[in-house]
Amino acid sequence: MVKICGIGAGYVGGPTMAVVALKCPSIEVAVVDISHSRISAWNSKNLPIYEPGLEEVVKQCRGKNLFFSTDVEKHVYEADIIFVSVNTPTKARGLGAGKAADLTYWESAARMIADVSQSNKIVVEKSTVPVRTAEAIGRILAHNSKKGIKYQILSNPEFLSEGTAIQDLLDPDRVLIGGNDGPEGHEAIQKLKDIYANWVPEDRIITTNLWSAELSKLADNAFLAQRISSINAMSALCEATSAEVSQVSHALSKNTKIGPKFLNASVGFGGSCFQKDILNLVYICESNGLVEVANYWKEVIKVNDYQKSRFVNRVVTSMFNTVSGKKIAVLGFAFKKDTSDTRKTPAIDVCKGLLGDGACLSIYDPQVSEEQIQKDLSMNNVEWDYPIHLQPMSSTTVKQVNVVSDAYEATKDAHGICILTEWDEFKAIDYQRVFDNMQKPAFVFDGRNILNVDKLRETGFIVYSIGRPLDLWQNMPQQA
Ligand SMILES: NC(=O)c1ccc[n+]([C@@H]2O[C@H](COP(=O)([O-])OP(=O)(O)OC[C@H]3O[C@@H](n4cnc5c(N)ncnc54)[C@H](O)[C@@H]3O)[C@@H](O)[C@H]2O)c1
Ligand SMILES: O=c1ccn([C@@H]2O[C@H](COP(=O)(O)OP(=O)(O)O[C@H]3O[C@H](CO)[C@@H](O)[C@H](O)[C@H]3O)[C@@H](O)[C@H]2O)c(=O)[nH]1
């Protein structure tokens, strides 16, 4: 029986390995992690991450051919193929701080693999890594391994999106496998292809050289984020000219050369990947002397930061230039709907901006806990994407922040509402009831363009919605 070990039981490692186990009943899959709390959650009824469809997959396989364990060394020793899905955060200090990828966790996983292995292994990079990482990992493995043990390194970047991870894994657009040239490299690529071929049509499995696969992942995220910053830049122009960004997006989407996806204007993109991976790309460009290319990609992040601060400015200027002492209801804190993940969520920057102006926040998110929100808002220099057990525990609570358990409670007696995540349930709220229980004038700031602006205005709200013609409200300035 082929044995697979997945190192890293997070948002990538957990769902990916669970789907491999589901689709390959003849393969034994062990998912290992240094975090005891994560592994015990994977072995319990309350999985450590919220992802639609994940629970069903785990329930079907756990204890049969899918195991979660902290015995990292044992499972690495036994495995034929090792998938590494550990954190690759932005470096917080030292050379390249703030841009370069921190490969500490990858390197320690590689050293451990070299220490415990007694047989040949295929090591698969699932984490997003700088181009040419496989070279460095290869050296670590070669220098530390016992004589005679051979390693083949493959780059198999993961393209799942949170909130749709299971669907993305079951029916991927493509699977990318990069490997070494030569017979041993080809054999390793074929072994990984055979695993995916259990459920992915062969024409969707692309093979490349190692460096193309590694770089394609960074390029993929940079292109996606660039589309969001492009439409968000347009949203500012729409507000200044009374054009309507969703109409512009729709028109663009019908151009088959452009296509329909990633054209939703928003309060800004979040998530653990886009910013980190673009910074990583920028660092690699700079390291290769490609300053113009680096500057091009930096702008994507600049526009994203601009979009978040523009939103805060809109709220404050619209509400008579101050939100000091005012209750603002924040609906949604996760970086997108259908996840409890708050890494790099735009809600953190928006909430901090409003708190900076003295607002009192009442926050509701269907999946994010009070503890997580307080932790996110009380930390200054957060090492966002570091392994959970290394993150600082929440020591203080932000007094002007109240986390509540439903939207009606959040909005009661509020002066304004900010929609920061596009959860479906926010569309179904009884906004007449909400309006009746708010201070007047009652404001809505829709950072996700999910609400019916005309209807809200009829109800009596003063409404700002990203990239849409501004309310005639006298305090709604033309520019923010
Ligand atoms: N989150 C996503 O949607 C996504 C999608 C594609 C790619 N990626 C990439 O995948 C990688 C992992 O991302 P994630 O979101 O799953 O992170 P995560 O923090 O959810 O999971 C990483 C896990 O690795 C564990 N870990 C770290 N070092 C370890 C070691 N030496 N041995 C065993 N376990 C170790 C941590 O404890 C943690 O549980 C990153 O490189 C990320 O860029 C993420
Ligand atoms: O039109 C859009 C699409 C997305 N977003 C925002 O962009 C962020 C990222 O969204 P999404 O890409 O759907 O989620 P992620 O889970 O971050 O997935 C991205 O990052 C992963 C990690 O690398 C990749 O695997 C995926 O392919 C890539 O889409 C979120 O804040 C979204 O709200 C917008 O503002 N407008």
Side-chain angles (χ1 to χ4, degrees), residues 116-341:
V116 305
S117 294
Q118 297 290 350
S119 56
N120 296 347
K121 311 275 181 207
I122 295 174
V123 178
V124 183
E125 289 177 346
K126 265 272 154 216
S127 302
T128 304
V129 291
V131 54
R132 297 199 81 88
T133 296
E135 193 175 30
I137 298 300
R139 287 212 185 110
I140 292 169
L141 291 171
H143 281 280
N144 289 279
S145 67
K146 288 121 210 137
K147 268 208 182 119
I149 296 180
K150 287 189 182 155
Y151 297 96
Q152 274 300 320
I153 302 174
L154 298 177
S155 166
N156 173 219
E158 184 47 59
F159 295 104
L160 67 79
S161 290
E162 289 178 31
T164 54
I166 296 301
Q167 195 186 311
D168 295 344
L169 288 163
L170 290 173
D171 186 22
D173 292 347
R174 79 298 201 204
V175 166
L176 179 56
I177 304 175
N180 278 316
D181 230 351
E184 286 168 339
H186 290 164
E187 196 188 323
I189 291 175
Q190 192 56 47
K191 279 194 179 147
L192 189 54
K193 262 180 107 170
D194 290 344
I195 291 174
Y196 282 109
N198 281 297
W199 77 99
V200 180
E202 207 170 327
D203 60 353
R204 287 199 225 158
I205 307 177
I206 303 171
T207 55
T208 64
N209 75 28
L210 270 170
W211 323 128
S212 303
E214 288 177 337
L215 185 56
S216 297
K217 174 62 194 180
L218 296 180
D220 206 83
N221 276 353
F223 272 56
L224 293 174
Q226 176 271 120
R227 278 173 75 100
I228 302 170
S229 279
S230 296
I231 199 67
N232 282 345
M234 285 299 159
S235 75
L237 188 55
C238 286
E239 288 165 29
T241 57
S242 291
E244 146 90 76
V245 77
S246 50
Q247 294 176 354
V248 174
S249 294
H250 183 66
L252 291 174
S253 72
K254 295 293 169 191
N255 181 342
T256 51
K257 286 175 276 184
I258 295 176
K261 294 188 177 160
F262 279 73
L263 285 178
N264 290 327
S266 66
V267 61
F269 60 72
S272 67
C273 294
F274 282 172
Q275 175 158 326
K276 160 177 89 71
D277 294 345
I278 293 177
L279 288 170
N280 185 353
L281 189 65
V282 165
Y283 183 73
I284 297 167
C285 292
E286 286 173 351
S287 306
N288 282 284
L290 303 171
V291 178
E292 285 76 8
V293 185
N295 288 343
Y296 173 75
W297 290 111
K298 265 188 211 165
E299 290 302 315
V300 172
I301 295 176
K302 270 199 206 162
V303 168
N304 198 47
D305 288 339
Y306 164 71
Q307 190 74 347
K308 289 181 274 187
S309 58
R310 215 167 71 73
F311 186 84
V312 173
N313 291 349
R314 278 278 181 227
V315 176
V316 177
T317 52
S318 307
M319 298 178 77
F320 318 104
N321 246 2
T322 181
V323 286
S324 182
K326 292 176 185 167
K327 176 175 173 179
I328 308 284
V330 171
L331 300 186
F333 199 82
F335 83 97
K336 63 186 282 196
K337 73 171 181 177
D338 293 336
T339 179
S340 54
D341 195 352

Side-chain angles (χ1 to χ4, degrees), residues 285-449:
C285 292
E286 286 173 351
S287 306
N288 282 284
L290 303 171
V291 178
E292 285 76 8
V293 185
N295 288 343
Y296 173 75
W297 290 111
K298 265 188 211 165
E299 290 302 315
V300 172
I301 295 176
K302 270 199 206 162
V303 168
N304 198 47
D305 288 339
Y306 164 71
Q307 190 74 347
K308 289 181 274 187
S309 58
R310 215 167 71 73
F311 186 84
V312 173
N313 291 349
R314 278 278 181 227
V315 176
V316 177
T317 52
S318 307
M319 298 178 77
F320 318 104
N321 246 2
T322 181
V323 286
S324 182
K326 292 176 185 167
K327 176 175 173 179
I328 308 284
V330 171
L331 300 186
F333 199 82
F335 83 97
K336 63 186 282 196
K337 73 171 181 177
D338 293 336
T339 179
S340 54
D341 195 352
T342 60
R343 290 178 292 177
K344 276 267 162 257
T345 176
I348 294 176
D349 298 284
V350 170
C351 288
K352 284 189 170 176
L354 296 173
L355 289 168
D357 204 84
C360 300
L361 303 182
S362 186
I363 305 177
Y364 166 63
D365 186 287
Q367 286 297 333
V368 185
S369 68
E370 175 168 9
E371 189 195 1
Q372 186 64 48
I373 291 173
Q374 284 290 358
K375 196 167 147 187
D376 288 338
L377 293 178
S378 60
M379 286 194 287
N380 279 331
N381 187 12
V382 188
E383 291 167 341
W384 293 109
D385 198 24
Y386 278 71
I388 276 175
H389 69 287
L390 295 180
Q391 289 182 15
M393 299 304 287
S394 175
S395 50
T396 50
T397 48
V398 183
K399 285 199 190 66
Q400 310 99 292
V401 172
N402 192 20
V403 179
V404 298
S405 56
D406 81 87
Y408 295 104
E409 195 185 343
T411 52
K412 190 166 183 327
D413 295 323
H415 295 254
I417 302 172
C418 294
I419 309 272
L420 300 186
T421 313
E422 71 281 20
W423 286 101
D424 290 338
E425 68 171 70
F426 298 157
K427 296 182 203 164
I429 290 172
D430 176 353
Y431 282 96
Q432 181 65 58
R433 178 177 157 198
V434 167
F435 179 78
D436 292 343
N437 288 322
M438 280 177 69
Q439 307 275 349
K440 307 295 176 320
F443 294 83
V444 171
F445 302 91
D446 182 357
R448 296 289 183 169
N449 287 351

